[in-house]
Amino acid sequence: MAAFFRHGVSKTAQILPSKNVLPRFYATKAEKKKGIDRKPTPKLDSTMNSIAAKGFLRPTKPYTPPPDLEMTLTEIFKDVMGNTQLDTKILDLNDRFKLFSACAVKLGHSIPNSLLHQIETLEQVLKFYTTPVDTRTPLDKMRSMELPENLHVQFEYYRWNPENDQKFKGITAFPGRSTIVTGIKYKNKYKGHIQKPKAPPL
């Protein structure tokens, strides 16, 4: 207490009691040993759910060039720049802002900040908007891909269970090893089992 007064805290200042201090939202090692755990705040929980709901290339939205892309860009070039020559350089900052904003509003796809310095001409704007953006994972892309005849991808994998196995008559290739489903997402989808040890022969 004396240290507070030495460092300029007045005598009239009030020190908050412990009940007014914000609680921690994580468990210490001692609390974990006692079985005490703390749940994350709703804010952190909603953030984690939002991240989990997004797919591959999370910051990027999928984009497919429309069929009338060249005609749309030509109209934008003419309205903003007054020129449709593809070698026209975009040097003025106001023109750059108006052009990129008009393209983003009209096509629903904006140029990211990391590529703004690379766009210098109208041709580069056209090249950017003719490039599709596919945010699917490589595994999801295989669903619509023509695969070789000797390659087969099983998207919904099969989890062996002796109770409903009909092909191997409940005989496992890994005796003594249980199949335990620990993920919350797949507990209702895939049923695990506990492999009982075989009784020794008499």
Side-chain angles (χ1 to χ4, degrees):
M1 182 67 72
F4 286 104
F5 292 107
R6 284 203 303 268
H7 290 285
V9 178
S10 65
K11 295 181 179 180
T12 57
Q14 294 182 355
I15 299 176
L16 293 175
S18 59
K19 66 179 182 179
N20 293 333
V21 178
L22 293 177
R24 295 190 312 272
F25 293 102
Y26 57 91
T28 61
K29 291 183 178 179
E31 289 174 338
K32 288 181 179 179
K33 287 182 179 179
K34 294 179 181 179
I36 301 174
D37 197 5
R38 298 174 186 268
K39 296 180 179 180
T41 61
K43 183 178 179 181
L44 292 176
D45 212 12
S46 62
T47 303
M48 288 188 293
N49 292 337
S50 175
I51 294 174
K54 296 179 181 178
F56 197 59
L57 296 175
R58 289 192 295 267
T60 309
K61 293 181 180 180
Y63 166 73
T64 303
D68 58 343
L69 175 65
E70 292 189 12
M71 183 171 58
T72 303
L73 287 178
T74 301
E75 293 177 358
I76 297 174
F77 294 162
K78 189 175 181 180
D79 294 341
V80 178
M81 302 294 296
N83 190 357
T84 58
Q85 297 294 326
L86 294 180
D87 58 350
T88 303
K89 291 192 174 183
I90 319 166
L91 301 176
D92 187 72
L93 293 179
N94 291 328
D95 291 341
R96 290 175 66 87
F97 176 78
K98 292 178 182 178
L99 178 63
F100 297 159
S101 299
C103 292
V105 171
K106 192 72 175 178
L107 299 171
H109 180 52
S110 59
I111 303 174
N113 293 339
S114 58
L115 297 179
L116 286 175
H117 68 284
Q118 300 180 10
I119 308 296
E120 297 179 351
T121 63
L122 298 181
E123 184 179 6
Q124 291 173 336
V125 176
L126 176 63
K127 183 178 179 181
F128 172 81
Y129 280 101
T130 53
T131 304
V133 178
D134 192 353
T135 58
R136 295 177 299 170
T137 62
L139 180 63
D140 289 334
K141 289 180 181 179
M142 291 184 181
R143 294 178 185 269
S144 58
M145 189 185 301
E146 187 175 350
L147 301 174
E149 294 182 359
N150 62 343
L151 178 62
H152 174 73
V153 180
Q154 187 172 348
F155 297 100
E156 296 294 334
Y157 67 90
Y158 173 76
R159 184 177 286 274
W160 183 84
N161 192 302
E163 296 178 3
N164 53 19
D165 176 59
Q166 299 177 355
K167 189 173 183 180
F168 302 103
K169 299 180 180 180
I171 301 175
T172 176
F174 304 96
R177 296 187 185 180
S178 302
T179 304
I180 301 174
V181 184
T182 57
I184 299 176
K185 182 178 179 181
Y186 294 103
K187 269 191 173 181
N188 296 329
K189 188 174 182 180
Y190 300 106
K191 185 179 179 181
H193 79 284
I194 298 177
Q195 188 73 24
K196 298 179 180 180
K198 290 184 178 181
L202 298 176

